[in-house]
Amino acid sequence: MLNPRLVRWLPFLAWPRPTSELLRGEFWAGMTVGLMLVPQGVAYAALAGMPLITGIYASLIPALVAVLWSSSTRLGVGPTALTSLLIGASLTGLAEPGSAHWVAMAAWMALLSGLLQLVLGLARFGWLLNLVTSPVLSGFTQAAALLILTSQLPALLGLRTTWSALLSGPSLHHFDPTSAAFGLGSLALLVLIKRWRPHFPSAIVIVGLAGAVSWALGFADREGAVVGSLPGGLPQPYWPGWLSWEEFSSLLLPVLVVTLVSFLETASSAKVEHQKGGTRWNENQDLIAHGLAKMSSGLCGSFATSASFSRSAINLYAGAKSGWATLFALVLVLVVLLWLTPALYHVPQAVLAAIVVTAVTSLIKPAVLLQLWRISRVEGLIAGVTFALTLASSPRMYWGVLVGLVMNLAHFLYLRLHPRIIEVGLHPDGSLRDRHLWQLPPLAPQVYALRMDAELDFASATALERHIADHLTAHPEVRNLVLFAQPINRIDVTGVEVFLRIRAMLRERAGTLHLSGIKLPVETTLQRAGALSPLPDLALYRTDAETLAALEAKFPSEPPLAADRG
């Protein structure tokens, strides 16, 4: 029996023992993912502005580190479209794409992002990632997908010049027809095969065919845009060197956004894996694993990695049961690095663009923003602002996420500062509901019965006190305040102070505070504060039914209040 503490720090020790039957299934699942990993890694390296070989580096050691230390062993870890786009966009204007300085800054982004994830995981702060809500992520993802598409169009269409030059002097001479044929033809094949056999590793097949056709046509000899020479062999240890303070400060916001977005990519895949496996997702362990993976990527001279939803889904579909499938996929990547990089020389860059375009088309879902608008106008607006600002601030697209986060937190704080407080009445079905909404009579004369659907803390306490004070001022005849407290789960010091002031208000007018259904944590806090001292101005009831019975006994001339709430 393995020591649980040891398994916590070395999760791979809990993998199932290899058997011939298990390894056979894991081998074929790993080969399926591995055949996707190599062409996507090269394509996403181009999207990040990195040397193409670094995409294969990012598909090897970081994926190995992630699978060994992750609680989600069937994720397809490596380069992804969103993270690669963020890296390329964040470094634009700071260095020349593909240069040694660009590589150093991208490596620092991987190191710092990985270190941040590692610290969050060790501190058990995985819950912080819940700050990025679905509206913010949806708005950013839709905008990022469009930016990825536009960034790949020049290579896909064989455009030899800039868009501005093309618009100022439109001409077909600005396009390389052979590159366009490779790009559009590959795109058509990828789309068709995806519809026909969605889990077939079509990318590697099309890369191989396009490379062979390119070689036969002498495309590279005619100065066609091809992958070119890639260094073979394993990645060497790499230290990016120290940057200036100005350069480090310019990476601060991009690192924060890469950390959030990349791990949310991981979370979306991990939740699917654990849901299918009937296990609980350990987000803190995955933060540690993916933080270490990013750091290992930076120390290989590569860029930040994440979990690919598409590769993870294909791994699950192919029957992967454990991390052994990922190890087989990495063996294939290792073979490519050691012996097969020359085979990529003649692959047209337009084909890599087609691979990226095909991958990101699944992210474009305009109906998502419309659905958010139908569900919630405010959250739909947050998603729309995030979407628009991400597009408008490109290449500093991280501002879209940050503004979306601020708007979302402001909305959250507004709701906490303005809790739902209703005056309740007895509905004919026996439940206690909003008296004004359902046009119900008061529970009894000289009684103000209300319910607050929130915690009684610093955020909501002032609103409750103001609500009660305004009502008592407007209705001096009210002598009894009934607070149905079941929705109140927690109370803090501010809430205790407000509670005491509410008691004082009722005491001044010789009235009584009726407290119904108070929960034990709240009661304990109030008892410690001496706020529940037994005096005539306070009446405690365990249930709403008990409260209604007491009101009926106190006001017998009114219709019976014998029902409980539903």
Side-chain angles (χ1 to χ4, degrees), residues 409-431:
L409 288 174
H411 178 231
F412 173 78
L413 287 174
Y414 178 85
L415 294 177
R416 294 286 284 110
L417 292 167
H418 299 80
R420 181 173 183 258
I421 302 174
I422 62 170
E423 182 181 0
V424 299
L426 187 63
H427 192 272
D429 67 4
S431 62

Side-chain angles (χ1 to χ4, degrees), residues 13 40-41 53 63 139 180 193 207 214 251 287 296 312 333 372 399 405 464 557-558:
L13 295 177
Q40 283 193 352
I53 191 63
I193 295 175
V207 163
S214 172
L251 294 181
L287 271 171
S296 69
S312 302
V333 175
L372 285 172
W399 286 111
L405 282 174
L464 178 64
S557 60
E558 294 299 308

Side-chain angles (χ1 to χ4, degrees), residues 85 104 114 269 304 356 366 383 475 485 517 536:
L85 175 67
S269 300
V356 174
H475 301 84

Side-chain angles (χ1 to χ4, degrees), residues 365-450:
K365 300 175 181 177
V368 170
L369 299 182
L370 296 175
Q371 183 181 13
L372 285 172
W373 179 258
R374 286 194 296 268
I375 295 172
S376 169
R377 294 290 189 265
V378 174
E379 292 188 288
L381 178 63
I382 292 173
V385 170
T386 304
F387 172 81
L389 200 55
T390 300
L391 291 177
S393 62
S394 178
R396 303 292 179 256
M397 50 192 291
Y398 47 79
W399 286 111
V401 175
L402 295 175
V403 170
L405 282 174
V406 171
M407 290 182 65
N408 193 71
L409 288 174
H411 178 231
F412 173 78
L413 287 174
Y414 178 85
L415 294 177
R416 294 286 284 110
L417 292 167
H418 299 80
R420 181 173 183 258
I421 302 174
I422 62 170
E423 182 181 0
V424 299
L426 187 63
H427 192 272
D429 67 4
S431 62
L432 294 173
R433 300 193 184 186
D434 188 330
R435 188 173 82 78
H436 301 287
L437 178 64
W438 294 91
Q439 299 180 351
L440 301 173
L443 289 183
Q446 301 182 5
V447 170
Y448 180 47
L450 76 160

